[in-house]
């Protein structure tokens, strides 16, 4: 495994195992710079969403990063209000325009709102038309995947959800593996001001390996087979978060990490969200 490592989706499309997340990244040059710094460091995967309010800034970073669009893997997500209002196709076109691209590599339903199965049929059409290379879901638990499976013609290729050492999501991971979905971890470091990076066990592993706590956590994710999407607007951290391919955690160290799970959620709960 190296900086260029990818996972193959069920349709054969390859997704880089590390990506830059841009949730809470402010619109403007801050986000554009973050994208440029990430690409310069070696990232080829940017994870965006309409509701983040910074797609135009992401688009600027993509256009000015010096790497051809076809060498990048760009994700965005269909927001809840657009699904509720039946604006799925319009929202997709708005995303393309803001990002300055004529296709997406991956398009996700952001949350399983009431009419998510209807919205999935729109994503299936976008996929068949070639406007999207792969489609998937975000924040889906078993019941949401089951609801979708009852109507879907195409099985989601990806499920993106909150996942970190304090919320390991092993049952959901296993379900996704059974159904041929690649798992993506958002908030992989435990979320804004979360307790994960100050955990004594993780700090001990960081000291043993001469690494940062974030690098230990990100390496754990990779060895668990997940795609990781760390977010940062700091050039040094963006680079540091990618320096995880030249060491390995032992089986015992992985077990130590696995035992940290507390089912602690720092973001919204897909079973009872109200936005």
């Amino acid at each position: 495994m190296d900086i260029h490592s990818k996972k193959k989706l069920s349709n054969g499309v390859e997704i880089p195992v590390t990506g830059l997340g841009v949730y809470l990244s402010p619109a403007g040059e801050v986000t554009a710079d973050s994208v440029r710094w990430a690409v310069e460091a070696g990232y080829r995967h940017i994870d965006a969403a309409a509701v983040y309010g910074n797609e135009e800034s992401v688009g600027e970073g993509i256009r000015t990063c010096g790497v051809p669009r076809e060498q990048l893997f760009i994700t965005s997500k269909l927001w809840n209000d657009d699904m509720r209002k039946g604006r799925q196709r319009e929202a997709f076109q708005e995303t393309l325009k803001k990002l300055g691209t004529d296709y997406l590599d991956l398009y996700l339903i952001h949350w399983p709102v009431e009419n998510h199965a209807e919205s999935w049929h729109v994503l299936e059409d976008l996929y068949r038309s070639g406007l999207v290379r792969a489609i998937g879901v975000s924040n889906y638990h078993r019941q949401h995947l089951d609801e979708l499976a009852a109507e879907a013609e195409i099985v989601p290729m990806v499920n993106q959800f909150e996942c970190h050492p304090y919320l390991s999501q092993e049952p959901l991971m296993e379900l996704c593996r059974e159904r041929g979905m690649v798992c993506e971890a958002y908030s992989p470091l435990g979320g804004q001001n979360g307790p994960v990076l100050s955990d004594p066990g993780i700090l001990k592993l960081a000291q043993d390996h001469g690494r940062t706590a974030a690098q230990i956590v990100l390496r754990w994710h990779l060895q668990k087979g997940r795609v990781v999407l760390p977010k940062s607007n700091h050039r040094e951290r963006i680079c540091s978060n990618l320096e995880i391919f030249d060491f390995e955690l032992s089986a015992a160290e992985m077990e130590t990490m696995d035992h940290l799970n507390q089912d602690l959620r720092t973001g919204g709960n897909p079973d009872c969200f109200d936005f």
Side-chain angles (χ1 to χ4, degrees), residues 23-267:
Y23 174 57
L24 296 181
S25 188
E29 283 302 304
V30 171
T31 294
D33 281 342
S34 297
V35 171
R36 286 189 285 260
W37 293 334
V39 173
E40 181 182 319
Y43 292 79
R44 293 296 181 266
H45 178 179
I46 310 296
D47 182 77
V51 75
Y52 299 167
N54 55 16
E55 285 182 314
E56 288 175 328
S57 305
V58 171
E60 181 190 341
I62 292 168
R63 286 191 303 276
T64 58
C65 70
V67 170
R69 166 68 183 93
E70 61 270 17
Q71 293 181 22
L72 301 175
F73 191 99
I74 309 300
T75 299
S76 195
K77 309 178 190 78
L78 177 62
W79 183 237
N80 303 351
D81 288 344
D82 291 315
M83 289 189 276
R84 293 185 179 111
K85 295 174 182 176
R87 296 189 68 257
Q88 297 93 332
R89 296 177 192 278
E90 293 90 339
F92 175 74
Q93 290 299 329
E94 289 164 7
T95 280
L96 289 186
K97 183 176 180 181
K98 289 176 180 177
L99 289 172
T101 183
D102 54 7
Y103 72 98
L104 290 180
D105 297 282
L106 178 63
Y107 198 42
L108 306 177
I109 288 182
H110 207 152
W111 288 83
V113 299
E114 307 78 43
N115 66 336
H116 68 100
E118 174 190 329
S119 296
W120 182 251
H121 291 314
V122 176
L123 266 66
E124 290 176 326
D125 289 344
L126 293 172
Y127 173 68
R128 292 189 186 101
S129 73
L131 290 169
V132 179
R133 297 178 64 224
I135 52 176
V137 295
S138 179
N139 297 298
Y140 272 52
H141 286 171
R142 176 182 288 271
Q143 66 270 27
H144 309 122
L145 292 171
D146 287 345
E147 288 169 8
L148 200 60
E151 293 195 40
E153 296 175 25
I154 301 172
V155 176
M157 297 150 195
V158 167
N159 188 10
Q160 181 184 126
F161 45 83
E162 181 183 351
C163 185
H164 46 76
Y166 282 13
L167 182 67
S168 62
Q169 301 268 34
E170 284 295 343
L172 184 56
M173 282 277 298
E174 181 58 32
L175 177 65
C176 290
R177 278 193 291 265
E178 290 172 3
R179 300 191 183 186
M181 301 175 201
V182 166
C183 296
E184 292 187 318
Y186 74 72
S187 297
L189 301 176
Q192 292 282 101
N193 303 313
V196 169
L197 295 183
S198 58
D199 180 272
I202 293 175
L203 292 175
K204 173 66 165 56
L205 287 175
Q207 183 178 26
D208 291 346
H209 284 271
R211 299 285 170 163
T212 67
Q215 288 169 338
I216 294 296
V217 173
L218 294 172
R219 182 68 205 187
W220 170 75
H221 279 293
L222 290 186
Q223 290 182 219
K224 297 295 285 188
R226 293 183 276 264
V227 171
V228 286
L229 305 167
K231 176 261 176 183
S232 181
N233 294 132
H234 301 280
R235 190 173 198 164
E236 182 179 328
R237 286 184 204 154
I238 288 171
C239 295
S240 176
N241 287 342
L242 201 60
E243 295 168 357
I244 53 177
F245 294 99
D246 58 348
F247 76 102
E248 197 168 305
L249 298 176
S250 69
E253 289 170 333
M254 289 293 290
E255 190 173 344
T256 295
M257 294 286 290
D258 291 343
H259 286 158
L260 296 176
N261 180 55
Q262 303 174 17
D263 291 332
L264 177 68
R265 194 177 296 279
T266 62

